[in-house]
Amino acid sequence: MTTDVTSESAAVGGPASDDADLVLQTWDVTLRFGGLTSLDHVNLQMRRGEILAVIGPNGAGKTSLFNSLTGAYTPQEGKIVFRPKDGGEKSLLGSKPHIVNRLGLARTFQNIRLFSALTALENVKIAAETRLKAGPVSIMLGLPNARKAERLSDERAHRLLKFVGLEDKLNEIAGSLSYGDQRSLEIARALATDPQVLLLDEPAAGTNPTEKLELEQLIRRINTELGVSVLLIEHDMRLVMSVADRVMVLNFGKKIAEGTPSEVQQHPAVIEAYLGSSAEDAAAVQEVIAEHEHESASDTEDGQ
Amino acid sequence: MSAVETSQNLTPSQAAKLRRTAWYRQPRFSRLWAMVALGVLLALVTGEQGNTRDIFYSLETTFTGGGLWVCLALTVGVWVLREFAGDGLKGLAEKAKPGTVAPLAAVRGRFQADKRLRWGLIVLALVLALAIPSMVERYWQTVLVDQIAIFVLLAIGLNVVIGWAGLLDLGFFAFFAVGAYSTAFWTGRLPIEPPVVLNPFWVIPIAVVTCLLTGLLLGAPTLRLRGDYLAIVTLGFHEIIYLVAKNADGVTGGPQGARMIPDFSIDFAGISYKWSIDPLPYWYLLVFFIVIVIILFSRLEHSRVGRAWTAIREDEIAAAANGVDTVRFKLMAFAIGASTSGVAGVVFTSKYGYINPEVFPLLQSILVLAYVIFGGMGSIPGVLIGAAALVWLPEALKDYVDPSDRYMYLGALLVIMMIYRPQGIWPSRRRQRELKLAEQGIGDADAMSEPAGGKF
């Protein structure tokens, strides 16, 4: 675990040329839906143990990238390679989602997808059990290995729910948990599959400021305590800037910038992508800013 | 603009008149007409059968007899109760609510909470199942064996497929046919010779394996399909099995089917017994199989396999993303579910003595599905009750109503049940939660459609 932390800190800002250090790498990944190019020659390099954030305006292709990495979509061109801890290279292009998960990439969803009629514990157990071997016959006959598997998954689920802070909500129905708790539960479920890379798709969407802070700490703990590399899609810039080691920016399916958070913030292409380039847009932006300033000024007046 | 002006020109009394609804235009009177229409319909369907010589015979007798007035009194009575005493009834129901939500729910809650009570009830049910049949008439003994026990076994199997894994299977009875024809084959009653002629008793494991393999064979190419598409494929599968049985004369005996299938007998390790025309020994044998299957399956339900099935049923994409091999578990559900129909097929065939393709019409597949849904998808006690009650109903009605009308009452019961209690008589807790969440707009309890937002 400590080695992971050091390798991560060593990797920050370092050159990305060392292939063995990259846990996830793509070359020219291109994904099209009919005439629409959702991903356009995307090259991604993710170092082992880092927190890499993918940002971009709506429709930039962030979730498409996630879906391509986890096997939900099969890009028409390009290569996706995952390098597990114990060496070797695995191509992920066009693999089935459960195979990708077994290799060590777990994900959460932008619109939470829990098994909402099951309890929190059962949700996590389902994921933990995919790593255990107990066939239907040994379960039906109640053989010792089936019982052992049941106990192991139970222990693991308890541990992970404690890790994300849901230890007192074990037996609550997932669908009735609060929004923030559902997000945490989804992360716990993804962690139960013992991943090397965790892909979080907008984990802060819809959470309140306290939950956002907790989430920030949770992501850090996943990274340092569990030694899991985190690939993060997020719209909340404050969260991205505080938690990410590096940031990659997508716009219209193309990578337009990559670097440390502060580098990316200064990047002209990024500013352009977020604020628009045409004169009309710029004028509109100015208008909005002016309006906002006016409002806040009147707010403060009201306050006094 | 003009409307506003006219309304301003109205005198207050005129406006009040416009606002008031005439008494005969109140919604309760349109409900009265609906109830009257229902009464007439009820009188018609329960009344005399028509005949071909006098086409108005049925209408004449219905509208001149007293049955019409009884039906009308009944439906109008219901209307009066609901419209004028409805609040009182509701108050009664609410007063009863806090302690006991509903009699059935209360029993169920106790049953699930109290372990000793549960075991007591299970033992009691088993003792009753073993004791009562010897006290009833021969006719009912035959019904118990030929229909109730067989359909209970089938319903338990189909429950795995539709209740737990959420795969809509409209051709489940085809596996029963596979079991039946396996029996005919291995006892040497088909035109093709088996390698060895066996007693039906020893065909049971072979039939179970054959059904497992058939389940795999059907599932492997089709389980990629979802919901409605899978349902149509299974429907086609049933038709294929039926038509092969009917037309492959050289293999299955064609429309004549197979005859003289021997009875069960054991002659093994000092035990020697022969089942004959007496239905009771078959009943004991079937109860034995049902108990074994229930024990094995309830272990599965609360294991990783059962949880994986639930996960697939609720959200297949999330399940796959968390490492659940969805195709493997769906195949497993198909195969394990099919295996019970192997047992049922063998026992039925051997007891009945002959089979032909007309024993396996598509209607039977639909009926098994109805039993499972009626009893409560995903719950073993529910499925037992559902299958037993719905198989019993037409038989019990036989003496009271026109025999050809029996299934109409079954249909009416199903319609009423699905409107007022879609979760079934004894629903599983998971299913009930799913329905509740679906009402609130979270998730999707529908076994047939893909999860909400199936695409990313």
Side-chain angles (χ1 to χ4, degrees):
Chain A
M1 231 173 259
T2 45
T3 51
D4 278 314
V5 178
T6 48
S7 73
E8 170 221 344
S9 51
V12 174
S17 56
D18 188 2
D19 275 3
D21 205 33
L22 295 174
V23 66
L24 199 57
Q25 192 170 14
T26 72
W27 288 271
D28 293 328
V29 166
T30 303
L31 177 72
R32 294 187 199 94
F33 297 105
L36 180 81
T37 307
S38 181
L39 293 174
D40 191 0
H41 298 279
V42 174
N43 292 307
L44 172 137
Q45 283 106 29
M46 185 179 182
R47 296 164 190 150
R48 199 178 299 285
E50 78 172 339
I51 300 178
L52 174 64
V54 179
I55 63 170
N58 286 327
K62 304 180 298 286
T63 300
S64 292
L65 177 66
F66 261 38
N67 287 340
S68 300
L69 291 175
T70 53
Y73 293 161
T74 306
Q76 283 83 0
E77 288 168 36
K79 272 204 306 184
I80 303 173
V81 162
F82 170 64
R83 295 194 183 80
K85 235 175 237 171
D86 45 0
E89 278 192 7
K90 298 275 193 304
S91 171
L92 299 183
L93 194 77
S95 300
K96 292 217 172 68
H98 74 269
I99 303 283
V100 173
N101 181 279
R102 259 158 223 217
L103 288 174
L105 267 81
R107 70 169 293 175
T108 64
F109 293 89
Q110 190 175 348
N111 47 338
I112 304 174
R113 305 188 79 138
L114 290 167
F115 309 123
S116 32
L118 297 181
T119 63
L121 185 67
E122 283 171 325
N123 264 277
V124 182
K125 273 176 92 171
I126 285 168
E129 276 155 356
T130 59
R131 294 297 176 279
L132 301 171
K133 285 192 180 68
V137 177
S138 55
I139 290 166
M140 284 200 271
L141 298 178
L143 294 185
N145 72 332
R147 285 182 202 185
K148 194 180 156 207
E150 181 79 27
R151 208 182 54 239
L152 284 176
S153 77
D154 221 62
E155 281 167 7
R156 185 162 177 76
H158 273 97
R159 226 174 29 241
L160 280 164
L161 283 168
K162 192 157 187 251
F163 183 80
V164 300
L166 289 176
E167 66 268 32
D168 48 350
K169 290 175 182 153
L170 293 176
N171 292 318
E172 279 183 38
I173 306 303
S176 62
L177 289 174
S178 74
Y179 206 74
D181 284 347
Q182 290 196 14
R183 290 266 178 217
S184 307
L185 179 56
E186 213 188 9
I187 292 175
R189 187 179 67 179
L191 287 174
T193 61
D194 200 13
Q196 297 176 31
V197 180
L198 180 65
L199 293 86
L200 301 174
D201 198 345
E202 295 197 26
T207 55
N208 64 35
T210 338
E211 286 168 341
K212 237 167 235 172
L213 272 180
E214 284 167 9
L215 180 74
E216 191 182 321
Q217 282 163 1
L218 180 61
I219 294 174
R220 283 222 183 83
R221 279 169 58 221
I222 289 168
N223 188 241
T224 52
E225 287 178 32
L226 302 180
V228 174
S229 320
V230 178
L231 186 58
L232 173 77
I233 292 180
E234 190 45 70
H235 272 304
D236 186 287
M237 282 308 138
R238 206 200 50 74
L239 178 67
V240 168
M241 295 308 161
S242 78
V243 87
D245 299 320
R246 284 193 312 131
V247 179
M248 174 176 148
V249 190
L250 285 180
N251 194 21
F252 295 114
K254 282 189 188 137
K255 182 164 88 175
I256 55 170
E258 191 177 2
T260 61
S262 52
E263 278 168 18
V264 165
Q265 265 176 316
Q266 309 297 325
H267 202 290
V270 177
I271 296 165
E272 192 186 299
Y274 272 89
L275 296 181
S277 56
S278 73
E280 203 180 306
D281 282 357
V285 167
Q286 287 306 320
E287 213 168 274
V288 169
I289 291 170
E291 217 168 78
H292 183 76
E293 276 171 356
H294 178 73
E295 266 174 27
S296 56
S298 60
D299 276 354
T300 46
E301 275 167 30
D302 288 347
Q304 290 160 353
Chain B
M1 208 56 195
S2 63
V4 174
E5 276 166 9
T6 45
S7 74
Q8 279 169 346
N9 294 337
L10 284 174
T11 62
S13 70
Q14 275 174 319
K17 205 174 168 190
L18 271 180
R19 236 180 274 124
R20 202 168 50 225
T21 325
W23 65 270
Y24 54 87
R25 291 176 73 179
Q26 283 175 1
R28 67 165 48 140
F29 288 97
S30 51
R31 287 201 285 271
L32 174 64
W33 295 130
M35 288 311 264
V36 167
L38 187 70
V40 173
L41 188 73
L42 210 60
L44 269 177
V45 294
T46 54
E48 284 293 316
Q49 291 281 322
N51 71 45
T52 45
R53 268 162 298 161
D54 180 2
I55 48 168
F56 292 114
Y57 172 73
S58 159
L59 284 179
E60 239 178 80
T61 45
T62 306
F63 286 118
T64 51
L68 178 66
W69 300 110
V70 174
C71 290
L72 279 180
L74 202 74
T75 50
V76 173
V78 169
W79 176 79
V80 169
L81 265 183
R82 281 192 54 189
E83 299 300 334
F84 298 103
D87 293 341
L89 285 179
K90 226 177 249 171
L92 269 182
E94 262 153 35
K95 215 180 278 173
K97 231 165 201 172
T100 52
V101 185
L104 204 62
V107 171
R108 266 195 32 236
R110 279 257 203 87
F111 182 79
Q112 273 153 359
D114 190 342
K115 214 170 182 178
R116 255 190 302 176
L117 182 77
R118 184 163 57 203
W119 281 108
L121 278 178
I122 289 172
V123 170
L124 184 71
L126 200 59
V127 169
L128 286 181
L130 291 177
I132 286 186
S134 60
M135 293 179 233
V136 299
E137 289 168 47
R138 183 63 170 268
Y139 173 74
W140 282 107
Q141 290 181 350
T142 316
V143 169
L144 272 174
V145 174
D146 283 2
Q147 301 198 39
I148 294 185
I150 296 287
F151 275 107
V152 161
L153 257 182
L154 288 174
I156 294 172
L158 183 59
N159 179 46
V160 173
V161 183
I162 181 166
W164 291 345
L167 306 166
L168 184 57
D169 186 349
L170 293 181
F172 191 71
F173 212 69
F175 294 117
F176 181 72
V178 170
Y181 274 96
S182 310
T183 323
F185 172 70
W186 287 100
T187 51
R189 294 296 186 269
L190 287 186
I192 43 165
E193 286 295 313
V196 277
V197 174
L198 294 171
N199 179 280
F201 197 80
W202 305 114
V203 179
I204 292 177
I206 301 177
V208 168
V209 172
T210 312
C211 282
L212 274 170
L213 292 178
T214 318
L216 288 180
L217 212 67
L218 167 68
T222 58
L223 282 177
R224 257 168 274 266
L225 303 173
R226 274 168 200 250
D228 324 13
Y229 307 105
L230 179 71
I232 298 303
V233 168
T234 53
L235 203 71
F237 171 68
H238 187 124
E239 272 310 276
I240 290 171
I241 297 274
Y242 171 75
L243 288 174
V244 166
K246 199 169 176 176
N247 295 325
D249 293 34
V251 184
T252 61
Q256 275 84 42
R259 268 169 244 252
M260 314 259 295
I261 293 156
D263 281 315
F264 275 2
S265 61
I266 303 186
D267 193 6
F268 180 69
I271 311 164
S272 182
Y273 187 77
K274 195 166 164 30
W275 278 261
S276 54
I277 41 170
D278 185 11
L280 267 187
Y282 277 103
W283 170 253
Y284 297 129
L285 187 72
L286 279 168
V287 168
F288 171 75
F289 282 128
I290 291 172
V291 168
I292 295 280
V293 167
I294 289 177
I295 291 173
L296 296 183
F297 283 11
S298 44
R299 277 201 180 136
L300 269 188
E301 187 189 0
H302 299 289
S303 73
R304 61 171 291 222
V305 176
R307 275 189 292 270
W309 282 335
T310 315
I312 292 171
R313 193 178 73 211
E314 287 202 15
D315 191 337
E316 202 173 328
I317 288 162
N322 284 289
V324 177
D325 187 344
T326 52
V327 173
R328 182 166 164 261
F329 278 101
K330 285 202 267 182
L331 266 181
M332 210 187 276
F334 240 68
I336 290 175
S339 64
T340 65
S341 35
V343 180
V346 178
V347 180
F348 175 82
T349 314
S350 153
K351 161 80 175 53
Y352 223 61
Y354 74 89
I355 47 165
N356 66 35
E358 299 315 318
V359 180
F360 315 105
L362 190 59
L363 174 70
Q364 299 286 16
S365 280
I366 309 296
L367 279 178
V368 185
L369 184 66
Y371 302 156
V372 171
I373 295 174
F374 181 84
M377 276 191 277
S379 124
I380 288 179
V383 168
L384 289 178
I385 296 169
L390 285 194
V391 176
W392 167 82
L393 182 74
E395 294 298 328
L397 284 175
K398 209 168 177 167
D399 299 334
Y400 305 104
V401 301
D402 198 316
S404 52
D405 279 358
R406 284 181 299 163
Y407 281 91
M408 183 183 70
Y409 292 98
L410 185 73
L413 178 65
L414 285 176
V415 169
I416 292 169
M417 184 75 178
M418 286 306 103
I419 293 173
Y420 291 105
R421 201 177 161 84
Q423 71 269 40
I425 295 181
W426 185 301
S428 79
R429 264 183 295 179
R430 280 176 191 167
R431 277 276 178 188
Q432 214 168 8
R433 273 185 226 141
E434 276 168 37
L435 270 174
K436 213 175 271 173
L437 288 169
E439 269 169 26
Q440 298 161 4
I442 313 163
D444 191 349
D446 198 341
M448 295 141 212
S449 66
E450 57 186 281
K455 293 268 183 288
F456 287 89

